[in-house]
Amino acid sequence: LSLIPGGLDCSISFVSHVLGKVCVHGRQKEILGVLVPHLTELTKSDCIWQRICWRLVECVPERWMEAVVLGFVQKAPGADVLSRLLGNLVVKNKKAQFVVTQKMLLLQYGHTTVVLQNLLGYLSLDSLRRALLLRVLQELLETWGSSSAVKHSPPEQQLYISKAILICLSHLKEPEIESCRQELLTSMMAGVKCHLDSSLPQLRRLGMVVAESISSRINTEGPVLKFEYEEDDETRELKSLLVQTPPVCVVPSLPDDDSSKKAGAALPSVPESNKKSQTAPPVMPDEESDAELDSDDDLVPYDMSEDKELKIKAPVYIRDCIEVLTGSEDVDKWEATVKALESLIRSNPAATREVSVELAKILLHLEEKTCIEGFVDLRQRAQVAVLTTDPIPVSKYLTSQFYSLNYSLRQRMDILDVLVLAAQELSCPKFHGKPKHSDAQKPRIQLLPGSDSSKDWRRIVDERIKSKTRRFATGQCHVEPASTPNQFSSVAGHFFFPLIQHFDRPLTTFDLLGEDHLILGRLVHTLAVLMYLAVNTVAVTAMGKALLEFVWTLRFHVDSYVRQGLLSCISSLLLSVPAELLLADMAEELLETQSWLGDVVEKDPDGDCRRLALQNLLLMENLKKKLEAVPS
Amino acid sequence: MALPPPDPQFVLRGTSAAIHTLHFSCGGQEPDIPVLFSGSENGFIHVWNLKTHRVDTALDGHGRKSVYCVETVGGKDRLLSQGRDQRICLWDLAEGRTSVTDSVFTEHVGFCRCSLGKVAQGRWLVATAAKGLEEVQVLELPSKTSVCTLKPEVGAKLGMPMCLKLWQLSCGSQPLLLAGYEDGSVVLWNVTMGKALSQLVCHQEPVMSLDFDSEKAKGISGSSEKVLRIWSLNEQQNLQVYKTHELVNAGISDITIRPDKKILATAGWDHRIRIFGWKKLKPLAVLDYHTATVHCVSFSDHRNPCERLLAAGSKDHRISVWSIYPQT
């Protein structure tokens, strides 16, 4: 490319043509890999070369412009370089403008963060282009804030758009923000609502981070919006985008205080208890042993061996506990009772069975009277203990309450969690008497209660699938525990069927098929786990049939969390129901399900759903092979 | 072999409400009867006859709102009381009267006990928490004129004042005030100039109570945590931590040092009264009688040392009176 510099009015349109043709054939990387470094060097200080470069790109024919611009944006090492190379191309050329402001930001989402930085930085570097920057920001916010986009677009695209928004924000100067403050505020409010409505925690977090950032930019004085969420790599990366270290631009850097708190949600939730424990160090030693020689000697100490830590005695009988929990004004006793309740229940099963439903009722409605550490956990453990001690009546009560009026979302989710934990305990013999949530012998099955249990169900199913699809099953030898009859077998149906019965009957405050899709998602996941735990029980086939029908009616649900749950249900079903019974009773339904799964794999916008569907198809394939392999 | 802790010498019953404050007045000569004043949650101040162990008079001056501070103003005929009706009342009790002669409307809605200090014959200073959140007001009695208002600097974030102690190095010198605040610090103020001289962070939780020994320039403070902090005042009027003592159970409502500076008593949330030697804070006794939080402790001012008493008022409506280490 050794053109004659200086003064001559060469026509470089030929070069542009060549460039364009090469790029459109997909060879951007090769040619620009050579071209861009050269041009970077040359245009660094030489204005003439800059103008030559600009002419070069401007002369590229329309039909090849997109490929060239795309290539340049991806190849340029920095926003300022891009600015030197492209000049005001985006302002002059309509196609280039479309590519940069619309296509790369809104229609594609595969570009890296660096490319985004370069692109938006390029837009911010020139006053003519800044108007475009503002327009871009507005369009990005519109997309970010539209509820249909949040529901239907893949999480990766939403992450991309959020990054773009944050980078734009970082480039904007004070007067520009002033001018569009109102619009920013409105878009933020609308957007935050859609994001927090979503069932996927990742999307909720994205919404929170972006809203916080917008709020901190538009309210530089006064209180800013602050959410509680768990910090992780993604949020840290996003927040770092707000701070620019540019050579040219003056961008105020924001002190992001990194508060690490527990994952909260915008749902009505039981307030977490804070620290106030009454545990103390051991007894103060008897002071008579030391003999200090001072004028205090004539003061002889008394015996202080009785001076111990103050402990409030908890009641010893279950009925006394009920009394304390329902009526007592004595808060110390109430606290001691709550702490001791679980062990009392487990050590007095006969007494508990007499009052089990009453106790379950009290526990479901129990609210924190004082600040105890781990109140939620204590309550849940007590509930699980009651449920495992007397499964049938208590499960009847709990499942009926799940569908009753006047419960909060949190309470309904608690019911589901308790059912799952109790089911796990009943189906695993070694859990008897010691409800530990992680077991050394079976590390793959860890059901951790928590607000984000969806990941765990998937993990369990994944691991089980993994263990089944591998032909060489080594490392599986664990000491077989002493075998006892599966206690879950007799009660599995009582846990499962009432939950599945009334899901389509809306109540005044609770509509599973309507707004409360988060609960629906949790319910579906719970059913998946119950199905999984029902392996080798008598009711498993009936459960499987009912579950299959349930999944079929809901298979087109809009919420991706619900769909993930439905796919987990299918996995559990395929794993738990014995293959012969599957074929005998549900062959047709399974074929229909298979075609549905194929659809999901191809068309579902959510990556996790596609993966789960694929796994299910694999499981079905394996089952078929297994059945064909058996000669009878 | 250490002796088991003593039992109370006697117990005063009959207030039918939690007792928040106690004050002895036993310094008079015969035939003056030694009395104990107690302020209760039901708004009454009871005057207990320590010979008959019965209530002589009941004073009702705070509109049935809890009385949390009682002190005599130079003799048992004049009484000062502070209650949750935001008032400080001055009583005239001579010759059987029971009337409120004067009152100050402090507009303080908290629980900070006021502190009384004599500056000259017939002239007293009373330091009390005032209307402003972090302010302490110092008034002169009986004129009720304001001497100064002690405001921490802006941004100090000390919180409410929780306990106060007025003192002077010697009669006639400048009055100083020690104030414990909600954020756990103790501040030394110069009242005449209205300036803070020194500040020390003693606790992580609010300072519940403090007492000061002006002879040894050493003080002690207790809070809702498990430590007692002893601090000293050096020549430059700076507060420094001297010692820390760990308690078995958390929570101290009141601390008081005996007038002879030999022992001190603490009232605990764990229902127990603890006695320590003041010199080295050697634990001496744990008096376990009450069945609910002990709100206040007070030593008597008997002239005869053998008659000295310690009284403790508790939420269980009882006042226990002890004779402990009387002979030193």
Side-chain angles (χ1 to χ4, degrees):
Chain A
L1 214 68
S2 52
L3 291 176
I4 311 161
L8 285 178
D9 221 8
C10 313
S11 160
I12 43 174
S13 59
F14 171 67
V15 186
S16 309
H17 273 73
V18 171
L19 183 61
K21 193 102 194 241
V22 171
C23 285
V24 98
H25 281 287
R27 295 278 176 223
Q28 289 147 318
K29 274 211 212 92
E30 285 83 352
I31 188 165
L32 289 176
V34 174
L35 201 57
V36 169
H38 274 282
L39 286 174
T40 319
E41 269 307 307
L42 292 168
T43 53
K44 213 180 258 190
S45 39
D46 196 338
C47 276
I48 307 218
W49 268 108
Q50 274 187 12
R51 270 204 298 250
I52 295 184
C53 192
W54 297 349
R55 281 289 295 167
L56 182 68
V57 272
E58 279 163 29
C59 291
V60 172
E62 280 295 311
R63 57 192 179 282
W64 298 327
M65 180 61 81
E66 179 186 329
V68 173
V69 171
L70 218 58
F72 265 99
V73 175
Q74 281 173 321
K75 232 20 186 144
D80 48 341
V81 174
L82 194 57
S83 174
R84 289 205 304 266
L85 295 179
L86 292 182
N88 279 338
L89 182 66
V90 283
V91 180
K92 297 185 201 156
N93 187 309
K94 281 276 170 270
K95 190 81 198 273
Q97 196 180 91
F98 175 73
V99 170
V100 168
T101 61
Q102 304 272 13
K103 192 150 188 181
M104 285 188 79
L105 292 171
L106 297 169
L107 299 172
Q108 298 174 335
Y109 56 94
H111 301 291
T112 64
T113 319
V114 181
V115 169
L116 262 182
Q117 291 263 22
N118 290 347
L119 192 143
L120 294 167
Y122 160 65
L123 282 180
S124 72
L125 278 176
D126 184 283
S127 51
L128 282 176
R129 303 197 289 259
R130 284 192 85 93
L132 284 178
L133 184 68
L134 281 172
R135 218 179 62 196
V136 157
L137 179 60
Q138 272 164 355
E139 287 181 5
L140 283 171
L141 278 174
E142 231 179 272
T143 316
W144 180 75
S146 100
S147 65
S148 64
V150 173
K151 275 198 211 148
H152 298 292
S153 52
E156 295 81 12
Q157 185 171 25
Q158 303 203 28
L159 180 60
Y160 183 81
I161 292 188
S162 309
K163 282 191 197 168
I165 293 179
L166 291 173
I167 300 177
C168 277
L169 278 178
S170 71
H171 280 294
L172 287 182
K173 296 198 218 150
E174 264 313 305
E176 290 159 334
I177 294 192
E178 268 303 319
S179 61
C180 60
R181 175 178 296 230
Q182 202 45 44
E183 292 145 31
L184 281 179
L185 188 60
T186 357
S187 331
M188 179 185 89
M189 298 305 283
V192 147
K193 183 174 177 305
C194 318
H195 279 267
L196 291 177
D197 259 344
S198 155
S199 318
L200 292 175
Q202 186 197 17
L203 291 180
R204 287 202 293 266
R205 264 210 309 262
L206 270 180
M208 290 193 243
V209 173
V210 174
E212 271 185 14
S213 319
I214 299 182
S215 145
S216 61
R217 283 313 297 277
I218 61 182
N219 294 337
T220 42
E221 75 292 316
V224 292
L225 192 57
K226 236 203 173 308
F227 284 104
E228 285 190 7
Y229 49 81
E230 247 175 51
E231 288 281 337
D232 70 352
D233 291 329
E234 194 176 278
T235 53
R236 276 190 277 266
E237 189 198 341
L238 284 171
K239 281 197 183 161
S240 68
L241 292 174
L242 270 180
V243 182
Q244 288 281 345
T245 49
V248 182
C249 308
V250 176
V251 171
S253 63
L254 303 156
D256 289 319
D257 32 317
D258 231 309
S259 44
S260 55
K261 298 182 185 128
K262 288 188 257 207
L267 299 164
S269 57
V270 174
E272 305 278 17
S273 49
N274 62 26
K275 331 145 220 19
K276 199 183 180 212
S277 57
Q278 287 225 350
T279 51
V283 177
M284 209 165 80
D286 198 330
E287 283 288 314
E288 60 170 348
S289 48
D290 58 39
E292 294 171 298
L293 285 173
D294 56 32
S295 56
D296 263 356
D297 241 2
D298 47 356
L299 296 169
V300 179
Y302 289 94
D303 177 25
M304 290 177 280
S305 53
E306 290 296 306
D307 187 21
K308 290 192 193 68
E309 185 193 324
L310 199 60
K311 274 203 198 130
I312 309 285
K313 289 246 172 74
V316 184
Y317 299 105
I318 298 280
R319 289 187 192 268
D320 288 342
C321 288
I322 294 184
E323 231 180 85
V324 172
L325 289 175
T326 46
S328 170
E329 288 293 324
D330 187 348
V331 281
D332 290 323
K333 214 162 184 180
W334 184 90
E335 259 188 48
T337 309
V338 170
K339 287 188 191 156
L341 192 56
E342 188 204 355
S343 43
L344 274 177
I345 293 175
R346 288 193 190 271
S347 46
N348 297 308
T352 311
R353 272 185 220 117
E354 291 171 17
V355 290
S356 57
V357 178
E358 199 183 326
L359 198 50
K361 198 186 216 164
I362 295 170
L363 285 171
L364 189 59
H365 293 98
L366 195 68
E367 282 178 37
E368 258 192 286
K369 247 195 209 171
T370 65
C371 276
I372 311 184
E373 220 173 282
F375 172 77
V376 178
D377 190 46
L378 284 170
R379 183 178 65 176
Q380 193 174 59
R381 297 236 292 260
Q383 283 174 307
V384 172
V386 174
L387 186 49
T388 51
T389 314
D390 197 8
I392 298 184
V394 179
S395 67
K396 208 177 191 165
Y397 172 72
L398 285 178
T399 49
S400 67
Q401 295 306 298
F402 180 72
Y403 283 108
S404 301
L405 288 171
N406 294 333
Y407 279 100
S408 71
L409 291 180
R410 183 76 253 175
Q411 281 171 313
R412 296 190 209 265
M413 292 205 281
D414 276 347
I415 293 180
L416 294 176
D417 285 339
V418 169
L419 284 169
V420 165
L421 287 171
Q424 185 198 11
E425 204 182 299
L426 288 173
S427 60
C428 271
K430 66 189 82 42
F431 275 48
H432 182 70
K434 232 187 169 203
K436 282 248 161 203
H437 298 302
S438 62
D439 195 359
Q441 286 183 309
K442 264 196 179 175
R444 11 185 215 128
I445 307 180
Q446 288 186 36
L447 281 173
L448 302 162
S451 51
D452 243 357
S453 337
S454 58
K455 294 193 207 127
D456 304 311
W457 308 158
R458 225 180 298 145
R459 211 164 32 129
I460 299 160
V461 178
D462 282 351
E463 286 170 32
R464 189 75 196 268
I465 292 175
K466 261 191 264 172
S467 71
K468 282 216 146 194
T469 52
R470 262 197 236 123
R471 291 295 152 191
F472 40 96
T474 51
Q476 295 264 339
C477 43
H478 48 265
V479 177
E480 283 296 336
S483 42
T484 51
N486 184 348
Q487 291 172 299
F488 190 52
S489 172
S490 43
V491 299
H494 290 272
F495 278 39
F496 183 83
F497 289 108
L499 279 182
I500 213 175
Q501 238 179 349
H502 299 300
F503 75 94
D504 50 358
R505 220 199 283 166
L507 300 169
T508 338
T509 55
F510 183 50
D511 184 10
L512 272 181
L513 294 179
E515 300 186 319
D516 294 313
H517 45 82
L518 181 64
I519 301 279
L520 180 64
R522 292 292 289 269
L523 175 64
V524 174
H525 281 280
T526 306
L527 292 171
V529 177
L530 288 177
M531 182 79 236
Y532 171 70
L533 289 170
V535 67
N536 299 331
T537 63
V538 176
V540 73
T541 327
M543 280 166 72
K545 254 200 126 146
L547 195 58
L548 209 47
E549 227 182 279
F550 175 73
V551 169
W552 192 249
T553 38
L554 288 176
R555 70 191 185 284
F556 291 128
H557 201 274
V558 271
D559 189 317
S560 39
Y561 182 66
V562 174
R563 287 200 304 277
Q564 286 168 13
L566 294 172
L567 291 164
S568 316
C569 283
I570 302 279
S571 310
S572 306
L573 200 133
L574 292 170
L575 291 169
S576 296
V577 182
E580 301 80 14
L581 291 171
L582 271 179
L583 263 201
D585 285 345
M586 301 176 238
E588 278 175 22
E589 289 93 335
L590 280 179
L591 280 175
E592 287 178 335
T593 314
Q594 200 173 29
S595 57
W596 167 56
L597 288 172
D599 254 352
V600 173
V601 170
E602 287 174 29
K603 298 193 196 136
D604 196 297
D606 186 83
D608 287 324
C609 285
R610 291 198 296 272
R611 192 173 49 84
L612 282 171
L614 192 57
Q615 278 174 346
N616 285 334
L617 284 173
L618 282 173
L619 273 177
M620 286 180 127
E621 280 301 313
N622 283 336
L623 274 174
K624 252 203 258 174
K625 284 194 204 142
K626 216 165 66 163
L627 285 173
E628 283 159 14
V630 175
S632 65
Chain B
M1 184 31 207
L3 293 167
D7 286 328
Q9 203 172 61
F10 53 90
V11 175
L12 302 172
R13 297 180 168 84
T15 54
S16 47
I19 295 117
H20 284 288
T21 178
L22 291 169
H23 190 85
F24 278 98
S25 180
C26 316
Q29 303 274 27
E30 290 285 322
D32 257 356
I33 310 165
V35 292
L36 171 64
F37 295 97
S38 73
S40 316
E41 202 163 304
N42 56 5
F44 280 94
I45 301 163
H46 294 273
V47 184
W48 299 85
N49 183 322
L50 289 175
K51 286 249 162 70
T52 62
H53 302 178
R54 291 231 156 65
V55 175
D56 269 354
T57 339
L59 307 170
D60 180 9
H62 285 276
R64 303 302 163 94
K65 294 278 168 75
S66 175
V67 176
Y68 56 88
C69 182
V70 202
E71 287 214 44
T72 50
V73 189
K76 64 180 178 46
D77 290 338
R78 295 260 307 266
L79 190 70
L80 175 145
S81 65
Q82 187 178 23
R84 292 271 290 150
D85 58 346
Q86 303 174 39
R87 290 197 315 159
I88 294 179
C89 289
L90 287 166
W91 302 75
D92 174 21
L93 302 175
E95 293 159 10
R97 292 191 281 269
T98 57
S99 51
V100 178
T101 50
D102 214 347
S103 70
V104 177
F105 191 54
T106 60
E107 295 182 83
H108 172 60
V109 294
F111 298 86
C112 180
R113 292 184 180 130
C114 62
S115 176
L116 203 58
K118 184 171 186 176
V119 282
Q121 190 60 24
R123 270 183 53 224
W124 301 78
L125 283 183
V126 64
T128 168
K131 184 179 183 189
L133 178 61
E134 299 186 343
E135 290 174 4
V136 174
Q137 210 183 23
V138 181
L139 303 169
E140 203 206 346
L141 290 178
S143 57
K144 296 199 298 186
T145 47
S146 168
V147 171
C148 70
T149 311
L150 303 171
K151 265 193 271 235
E153 54 188 40
V154 178
K157 290 213 187 142
L158 293 174
M160 294 190 302
M162 303 288 300
C163 44
L164 303 168
K165 174 108 184 152
L166 268 176
W167 60 282
Q168 289 169 296
L169 205 47
S170 52
C171 204
S173 62
Q174 289 200 336
L176 299 165
L177 174 72
L178 280 163
Y181 287 88
E182 203 182 341
D183 74 330
S185 5
V186 172
V187 177
L188 177 68
W189 295 87
N190 180 319
V191 173
T192 330
M193 295 197 288
K195 267 191 346 148
L197 295 172
S198 163
Q199 177 176 348
L200 179 67
V201 177
C202 293
H203 297 277
Q204 307 297 338
E205 306 267 322
V207 180
M208 287 292 169
S209 173
L210 58 81
D211 204 357
F212 188 69
D213 177 357
S214 44
E215 289 160 28
K216 296 203 190 108
K218 243 174 26 169
I220 178 170
S221 62
S223 119
S224 47
E225 351 165 90
K226 272 196 198 161
V227 290
L228 284 173
R229 202 79 76 173
I230 295 103
W231 25 272
S232 62
L233 207 56
N234 62 10
E235 296 80 30
Q236 292 89 15
Q237 307 282 52
N238 278 333
L239 293 166
Q240 335 161 284
V241 176
Y242 178 77
K243 206 176 180 212
T244 304
H245 179 81
E246 278 266 340
L247 299 163
V248 175
N249 291 308
I252 295 286
S253 343
D254 199 8
I255 302 181
T256 183
I257 305 175
R258 199 160 76 172
D260 68 348
K261 317 288 193 237
K262 287 273 175 60
I263 61 173
L264 69 96
T266 67
W269 291 2
D270 59 349
H271 323 333
R272 295 174 195 158
I273 306 153
R274 288 158 205 280
I275 312 284
F276 297 87
W278 178 222
K279 216 169 185 183
K280 302 225 165 173
L281 209 71
K282 177 163 111 171
L284 293 173
V286 176
L287 307 174
D288 195 1
Y289 167 75
H290 287 283
T291 53
T293 302
V294 185
H295 284 308
C296 50
V297 275
S298 181
F299 281 103
S300 71
D301 53 347
H302 284 92
R303 286 198 202 192
N304 186 346
C306 327
E307 292 175 4
R308 280 180 303 191
L309 299 168
L310 163 71
S314 157
K315 194 172 163 188
D316 62 4
H317 306 189
R318 296 197 179 81
I319 303 170
S320 55
V321 183
W322 313 72
S323 168
I324 191 138
Y325 295 117
Q327 66 280 5
T328 47

